[in-house]
Amino acid sequence: MNTVKLTINGKQYEIEKGTFVLKACSDIGIDIPTMCHDERLVPSGSCRLCQVEVEGWGKLHTACTTQVKEGMVIHTHSEKVVKARQDLLDMLISNHPLDCLTCESAGACKLQDLCYEYGITEGTYRWEMSKPYYDDTNPFYTFDASKCILCGLCVRVCDELQGTNAIGFENRGFETLVATPFGEGLENSTCVSCGNCVSVCPVGALEPRSKMKFRQWEIETTRTTCSYCGVGCQMDLKTKNNRVVGVEPAFDAHNEGLLCVKGKFSYNFLSHPDRLTMPLVRKDGVLVETTWDEAYNVITSKMKQTKEDFGSDSFAGLTSARCTNEDNYMFQKMFRSTLGTNNVDHCARL
Amino acid sequence: MITKEKLFEIKEKTKPSLVEKLLEGDRVEFRGDDLVLKGEYYKKQVRIALKNCDIIDPTDIDEYIAFDGYFALLKALTEQEPGDVVAEITESLLRGRGGAGFPTGRKWNEAYKFDADKKYIICNADEGDPGAFMDRSILEKDPHSVLEGMAIGGYAIGSDQGYIYVRAEYPMAVKRLEIAIKQAKEYGLLGNNIFGTGFNFDIELRLGSGAFVCGEGTALMESIEGRRGMPRPKLYRTAHKGLWGKPTIINNVETLANVPAIMNKGAKWFRSIGTEESPGTKVFALVGKVENAGLVEVPMGMTLREIVFDIGGGAQDGKEYKAVQTGGPSGGCIPADLIDTPVDFESLGKIWSIMGSGGMVVMDENTCMVDIAKFFLDFSVDESCGKCVPCREGTKRMHEILDRITKGEGVEGDIERLENLSKTVSSTSLCGLGQTAPNPVITTIKYYRHEYEAHIKDKSCPAKSCKALIKYEITDDCIGCTRCAKVCPVVAITGKVKEKHLIDQAICIKCGACYDVCPVDAISII
Ligand SMILES: Cc1cc2nc3c(=O)[nH]c(=O)nc-3n(C[C@H](O)[C@H](O)[C@H](O)COP(=O)(O)O)c2cc1C
Ligand code: SF4
Ligand code: SF4
Ligand code: SF4
Ligand code: SF4
Ligand code: SF4
Ligand code: SF4
Ligand code: FES
């Protein structure tokens, strides 16, 4: 293996060439704060919080954009580094509403956490604030520019991973804003409401709409498979009192932190009173709840009867694109070999 | 397609009559073998990048050829290997004139060595420093020198495609470039199989959309690629992975305009001019409160005094010279007592300033140093691309503090606050804009701290320039001519003819009109 030897916080390490300092540090358990980093994206170096000191290299260097080099002597938490991070956080919080009490993201907000960690209170420069801008035209999520720290993650995810390019930056300098082209609002943009931007927003600027109020520390998460299609995206359901209040994509699965609009936002039916949670059989003209065993018994006996009475071709089967390939395969197999008919098709046929 | 013989033929045909015509015009004279512009202003100047400016007709390629134009390209293509060209430029120690002063030969070498199916060379003509117009002059008055420099660069690194990224606000430069490119293509000096050597090279124009930050190399590439012009972090060298991920060399207009001369006269000749570490010349745009404003091209290492006084004629209107800002809005303010500093990359760096692209703003006794720092910072605040936190948020806060100081609302600790912000912004910003934006603040605090203190503690502006801190008053010298009362836009002045007049401070908006018209200097600023 092609490696370099270097020193991080006084200890020697041997690390694979080409590794970024941020990754090298996280692999050895050193936590460097980041706001704009996402392993899936091209590094942008915009938040500047991951800066570290490299002896003999002059000014500070961002760990997320710097590769390890032979003989480097890195300090991730030196006085100079900590001071710079504090100053940057101070600048951010100075131009930020202190709404943590009512903010939906409180408890799951990087700005809040880092200000706590680095001892930043209300901000030294609470003078002019960015102009407020609020976009609530999307049915699934809202955007509050006053809470946006312009990390750029949403823009980059929409561009590099989602491939939709619905949002970008507008204006310059202090007036910079995440916006849709020509300021026409999300509703009139090419946004497909996948919510992948919402999932990466490190603060409360992009918020999913939720029917229920909850605090981030009240929720339980349960890993599950999205039932909407055969891709089988992994997701963590956020529940409070056994009710689903939100969905986060799993990063450690094949969907790598992405979902589509259905997986991300369409969960409210789960606790809808009309939802069937038990099989029903019609008894004396009325649908009544029953057990799965009984339901299957009814189905198989009726199928046998029908085959005897009317023959195989009296059956027709239609499956769904939501099922996996394996399910669809089994379904047609059952129709062809058990029921003995080729009358089987799939809803995705156009 | 033009041949070697044909190039000589054009030169021999055009030159004698052109020289005759020029000498008749009485604007030029011979200095050695070279034709140079005549006059006191040009005596101390040495013109390499500007050598043809105001002498030849930029829309006539033959006139460019008459003064050895495209002979450097001919020599490179027919007598030298690409590696030799890189070596010659490296040997010349030519350093980038776009601001950073990076050795051009070393940069070219990186791209030359890097194997790729496609390489690009970009001419950075996005000149955005307010007050700078050297690149514009070269593009408008000698566009072929840039095209030739690019073609030589293209040959050296193995690129067949060049782009000139030029400001859309320079319509004349764009037009002249279009004409020059067309003529060069007609002669076969651009296009396929140049001089029959098999070397192909084409140049296209790309118009900049008006953001200063697009002059930053990586932001410029983003812009050419069709994205918002924001600087990229330096994950790779652009000489290896630049425009569309291909090896790319980006050079400033003036840098490229130096290339043909170096190829013609040799690296040794170039190094005989200027200083050891910064050979050659630099073009400066001398502006501000200076008697003879304009473009000057002088050998590196010439002192500020020679430039500002001997060439520039000192401060305007007999006022006292106070300071000069080099390097544009992100440069540093150099006080009068450092006037003997030689102007080269190293010497300017030592006194906290920079060469930048060559802006030189002269200030006189009436310039308030807090106000001028605010003025320069204002530019950076507006032009910040907004990508990174320190530049977007930090420069804004610095500006707010400077603004309140000039309004007489500064508070104890503001200087320290400015110093702290300056440090963080310059050490943590992503690109050169943020890294250098605090320079005017840092240098004015360093050299004129007392002016800051006077504003904050005594609520006074020593240069008598900050409106909130001054008052216009009429003294006993008043002869009652009534002129001031007539010009006052808000009728703040009263008085009878031939009697002393009086300014009502509650009405006065401090426009200074009365001060300017009083024939006996009876109005004073306090
Ligand atoms: C904010 C910013 C603006 C810049 N603007 C220009 C410019 O207008 N023209 C230019 O040649 N270089 C400009 N530069 C410098 C370029 O990034 C780059 O260093 C230069 O074009 C390289 O050419 P050189 O080596 O020939 O100087 C700018 C740099 C920064 C950080
Ligand atoms: S986004 Fe974070 S810091 Fe801002 S109000 Fe919400 S919880 Fe607080
Ligand atoms: S919801 Fe999806 S498509 Fe819409 S802006 Fe966000 S990432 Fe882009
Ligand atoms: S909305 Fe969120 S993700 Fe997008 S730039 Fe702002 S803080 Fe970053
Ligand atoms: S330093 Fe300023 S101009 Fe440069 S990337 Fe950061 S915000 Fe943009
Ligand atoms: S400074 Fe202007 S407004 Fe004030 S008295 Fe003079 S002319 Fe009038
Ligand atoms: S212009 Fe001067 S001299 Fe005339 S009235 Fe005004 S102050 Fe007096
Ligand atoms: S995480 Fe490195 S700059 Fe934001």
Side-chain angles (χ1 to χ4, degrees):
Chain A
M1 194 164 65
N2 216 348
T3 59
V4 295
K5 285 200 187 73
L6 75 170
T7 312
I8 304 177
N9 295 346
K11 272 202 204 151
Q12 297 261 326
Y13 296 95
E14 198 169 326
I15 289 165
E16 197 178 338
K17 240 187 181 162
T19 312
F20 284 101
V21 172
L22 184 65
K23 174 87 171 47
C25 288
S26 86
D27 286 351
I28 55 178
I30 296 172
D31 186 30
I32 294 177
T34 65
M35 288 266 221
C36 69
H37 181 71
D38 186 321
E39 273 187 355
R40 303 167 300 169
L41 305 172
V42 180
S44 93
S46 66
C47 77
R48 317 305 290 164
L49 281 168
C50 67
Q51 312 229 22
V52 295
E53 194 176 343
V54 184
E55 280 182 24
W57 279 30
K59 63 180 190 65
L60 299 172
H61 293 265
T62 42
C64 69
T65 63
T66 308
Q67 292 177 13
V68 292
K69 296 239 158 55
E70 183 69 36
M72 249 181 168
V73 182
I74 301 173
H75 302 280
T76 64
H77 286 77
S78 66
E79 206 181 309
K80 200 167 146 189
V81 169
V82 170
K83 168 81 174 50
R85 286 184 196 146
Q86 285 173 327
D87 283 355
L88 293 169
L89 288 166
D90 192 355
M91 290 175 195
L92 282 174
I93 206 75
S94 290
N95 187 18
H96 193 92
L98 300 174
D99 281 349
C100 303
L101 288 181
T102 52
C103 182
E104 304 290 341
S105 282
C109 168
K110 273 199 168 177
L111 184 60
Q112 196 186 39
D113 290 350
L114 287 172
C115 283
Y116 173 73
E117 185 182 341
Y118 283 84
I120 304 301
T121 51
E122 80 277 6
T124 311
Y125 318 103
R126 293 200 75 77
W127 304 325
E128 192 182 325
M129 303 284 260
S130 294
K131 276 199 208 82
Y133 174 77
Y134 194 75
D135 188 342
D136 62 354
T137 61
N138 186 289
F140 303 103
Y141 67 94
T142 56
F143 172 59
D144 181 354
S146 67
K147 288 183 188 164
C148 170
I149 54 160
L150 290 165
C151 69
L153 283 169
C154 53
V155 174
R156 288 151 61 211
V157 162
C158 190
D159 170 11
E160 293 174 40
L161 299 178
Q162 174 60 23
T164 303
N165 266 308
I167 46 178
F169 296 104
E170 205 178 271
N171 304 337
R172 282 203 291 255
F174 196 70
E175 270 95 57
T176 308
L177 187 72
V178 171
T180 51
F182 313 110
E184 299 204 318
L186 286 161
E187 187 184 35
N188 299 314
S189 73
T190 54
C191 170
V192 296
S193 302
C194 66
N196 289 318
C197 53
V198 181
S199 301
V200 291
C201 183
V203 292
L206 285 165
E207 283 287 2
R209 291 177 189 271
S210 178
K211 287 220 186 306
M212 209 168 122
K213 276 174 96 88
F214 65 94
R215 306 262 60 181
Q216 298 290 342
W217 50 89
E218 293 176 321
I219 54 163
E220 269 180 67
T221 59
T222 310
R223 176 63 56 94
T224 187
T225 305
C226 176
S227 59
Y228 276 112
C229 82
V231 171
C233 291
Q234 297 297 292
M235 49 166 57
D236 289 326
L237 293 183
K238 297 163 84 170
T239 52
K240 176 184 170 180
N241 300 335
N242 209 26
R243 256 190 81 165
V244 178
V245 293
V247 174
E248 292 299 336
F251 282 75
D252 53 354
H254 68 277
N255 50 312
E256 292 184 358
L258 299 178
L259 289 174
C260 76
V261 58
K262 293 176 284 182
K264 175 76 185 173
F265 294 117
S266 305
Y267 52 78
N268 281 321
F269 72 91
L270 282 173
S271 35
H272 196 280
D274 289 351
R275 183 182 164 207
L276 298 184
T277 53
M278 298 278 281
L280 304 175
V281 288
R282 201 176 299 278
K283 282 185 182 156
D284 305 326
V286 189
L287 285 169
V288 291
E289 284 189 357
T290 178
T291 63
W292 282 106
D293 278 346
E294 196 196 333
Y296 282 126
N297 280 336
V298 172
I299 295 168
T300 44
S301 66
K302 289 210 166 170
M303 277 179 148
K304 277 186 191 139
Q305 193 61 49
T306 308
K307 190 175 172 184
E308 260 178 48
D309 294 351
F310 304 104
S312 290
D313 283 340
S314 62
F315 290 96
L318 191 71
T319 64
S320 164
R322 284 192 187 182
C323 305
T324 61
N325 281 344
E326 291 80 355
D327 288 340
N328 280 319
Y329 176 79
M330 291 310 294
F331 187 84
Q332 63 84 31
K333 183 114 180 157
M334 178 180 82
F335 266 70
R336 292 188 217 277
S337 60
T338 313
L339 295 175
T341 177
N342 286 327
N343 294 341
V344 59
D345 211 341
H346 181 278
C347 75
R349 180 188 295 280
L350 289 172
Chain B
M1 184 191 64
I2 207 163
T3 56
K4 183 175 173 176
E5 292 69 32
K6 181 87 178 121
L7 196 70
F8 274 95
E9 202 185 299
I10 295 171
K11 176 179 168 180
E12 271 147 35
K13 202 179 83 201
T14 321
K15 192 168 179 181
S17 57
L18 177 60
V19 170
E20 200 179 317
K21 189 184 85 189
L22 285 168
L23 288 172
E24 263 170 34
D26 205 34
R27 284 190 308 113
V28 299
E29 61 189 5
F30 271 103
R31 194 190 288 172
D33 291 338
D34 303 322
L35 265 192
V36 298
L37 289 167
K38 222 173 170 174
E40 203 52 38
Y41 191 63
Y42 302 102
K43 280 236 165 73
K44 277 204 155 187
Q45 298 198 34
V46 176
R47 294 193 155 202
I48 300 173
L50 300 178
K51 76 181 169 73
N52 288 329
C53 293
D54 295 318
I55 295 178
I56 65 165
D57 174 359
T59 62
D60 184 351
I61 188 170
D62 288 356
E63 294 201 5
Y64 179 69
I65 293 172
F67 292 112
D68 299 326
Y70 289 107
F71 280 76
L73 179 64
L74 172 72
K75 184 169 152 194
L77 295 190
T78 55
E79 295 171 27
Q80 291 172 309
E81 292 299 317
D84 301 334
V85 179
V86 173
E88 186 80 36
I89 296 296
T90 309
E91 176 65 22
S92 78
L93 269 180
L94 171 66
R95 296 172 65 172
R97 304 300 197 232
F102 192 84
T104 305
R106 251 171 59 201
K107 186 147 76 170
W108 286 15
N109 194 38
E110 285 300 329
Y112 163 70
K113 285 187 312 192
F114 203 86
D115 231 7
D117 56 348
K118 187 89 185 169
K119 298 181 187 178
Y120 297 103
I121 183 157
I122 299 175
C123 169
N124 188 342
D126 193 45
E127 189 169 60
D129 275 12
F133 52 103
M134 34 266 160
D135 293 350
R136 172 185 179 166
S137 297
I138 295 171
L139 298 171
E140 288 181 359
K141 298 173 177 176
D142 195 17
H144 286 286
S145 67
V146 178
L147 305 187
E148 188 180 2
M150 286 179 78
I152 293 170
Y155 176 68
I157 66 162
S159 157
D160 62 357
Q161 178 67 55
Y163 289 101
I164 302 178
Y165 188 89
V166 55
R167 298 185 72 179
E169 294 92 330
Y170 283 176
M172 178 61 88
V174 174
K175 207 167 134 202
R176 295 270 161 90
L177 280 169
E178 281 168 351
I179 295 170
I181 292 172
K182 187 163 164 271
Q183 290 178 347
K185 279 187 180 167
E186 277 165 11
Y187 273 14
L189 293 165
L190 287 177
N192 287 341
N193 197 17
I194 300 170
F195 289 122
T197 59
F199 172 62
N200 309 330
F201 190 72
D202 214 343
I203 294 178
E204 279 179 39
L205 296 185
R206 287 286 180 274
L207 297 198
S209 44
F212 172 67
V213 75
C214 286
E216 197 276 344
T218 57
L220 189 152
M221 290 175 203
E222 290 276 300
S223 175
I224 292 185
E225 289 176 14
R227 282 194 286 272
R228 177 180 157 103
M230 296 203 294
R232 304 171 181 165
K234 312 262 175 302
L235 301 175
Y236 313 95
R237 291 180 181 190
T238 48
H240 297 165
K241 261 184 158 186
L243 189 63
W244 289 302
K246 299 293 180 190
T248 304
I249 288 302
I250 179 162
N251 275 125
N252 167 257
V253 171
E254 190 185 331
T255 313
L256 290 164
N258 270 290
V259 167
I262 295 171
M263 295 309 293
N264 271 332
K265 300 189 176 176
K268 240 198 215 103
W269 161 81
F270 191 71
R271 287 177 66 169
S272 72
I273 304 160
T275 67
E276 201 170 312
E277 282 172 285
S278 306
T281 57
K282 176 77 193 90
V283 185
F284 295 100
L286 195 56
V287 296
K289 307 277 177 63
V290 65
E291 199 59 46
N292 312 319
L295 282 191
V296 292
E297 181 171 357
V298 294
M300 297 263 197
M302 185 178 268
T303 63
L304 277 170
R305 183 190 296 281
E306 284 173 282
I307 299 174
V308 175
F309 285 91
D310 298 353
I311 299 175
Q316 245 171 8
D317 303 332
K319 293 245 169 85
E320 197 181 325
Y321 166 79
K322 184 169 184 179
V324 65
Q325 165 101 0
T326 66
S330 52
C333 228
I334 303 172
D337 56 357
L338 292 174
I339 186 85
D340 288 309
T341 308
V343 181
D344 57 63
F345 292 105
E346 282 69 32
S347 308
L348 288 179
K350 275 187 208 138
I351 55 170
W352 299 88
S353 190
I354 55 170
M355 178 82 80
S357 57
M360 229 178 232
V361 184
V362 176
M363 302 162 210
D364 68 17
E365 54 188 306
N366 296 132
T367 313
C368 165
M369 296 323 248
V370 185
D371 193 49
I372 200 82
K374 182 180 112 178
F375 171 80
F376 286 127
L377 195 68
D378 193 45
F379 178 82
S380 302
V381 169
D382 274 354
E383 294 297 334
S384 158
C385 81
K387 178 170 179 174
C388 71
V389 178
C391 174
R392 182 182 71 235
E393 310 283 338
T395 57
K396 169 82 180 172
R397 300 314 178 196
M398 292 172 68
H399 189 269
E400 285 177 313
I401 297 175
L402 289 168
D403 189 52
R404 73 181 183 207
I405 296 178
T406 57
K407 286 186 175 144
E409 294 158 10
V411 295
E412 195 73 32
D414 272 353
I415 302 181
E416 292 70 24
R417 238 165 255 132
L418 280 173
E419 285 175 322
N420 181 47
L421 279 165
S422 297
K423 222 191 220 155
T424 307
V425 172
S426 56
S427 69
T428 63
S429 285
L430 169 59
C431 86
L433 195 154
Q435 287 160 11
T436 56
N439 282 349
V441 182
I442 296 172
T443 49
T444 51
I445 293 182
K446 186 173 160 65
Y447 299 119
Y448 299 93
R449 201 181 182 98
H450 54 279
E451 288 197 22
Y452 280 83
E453 282 166 352
H455 282 77
I456 297 170
K457 296 199 182 114
D458 313 335
K459 306 294 173 205
S460 82
C461 172
K464 303 207 184 304
S465 136
C466 292
K467 274 191 192 172
L469 300 177
I470 56 166
K471 241 174 32 185
Y472 286 87
E473 266 181 12
I474 296 176
T475 66
D476 290 342
D477 293 339
C478 171
I479 53 167
C481 74
T482 76
R483 282 200 212 170
C484 58
K486 284 189 190 119
V487 296
C488 178
V490 291
V491 204
I493 306 180
T494 51
K496 292 206 180 92
V497 184
K498 298 207 173 139
E499 279 175 26
K500 189 184 164 190
H501 280 50
L502 189 74
I503 296 176
D504 186 341
Q505 297 299 337
I507 303 177
C508 172
I509 55 165
K510 296 167 187 174
C511 72
C514 55
Y515 181 85
D516 291 338
V517 299
C518 179
V520 294
D521 287 340
I523 297 177
S524 64
I525 309 172
I526 48 171

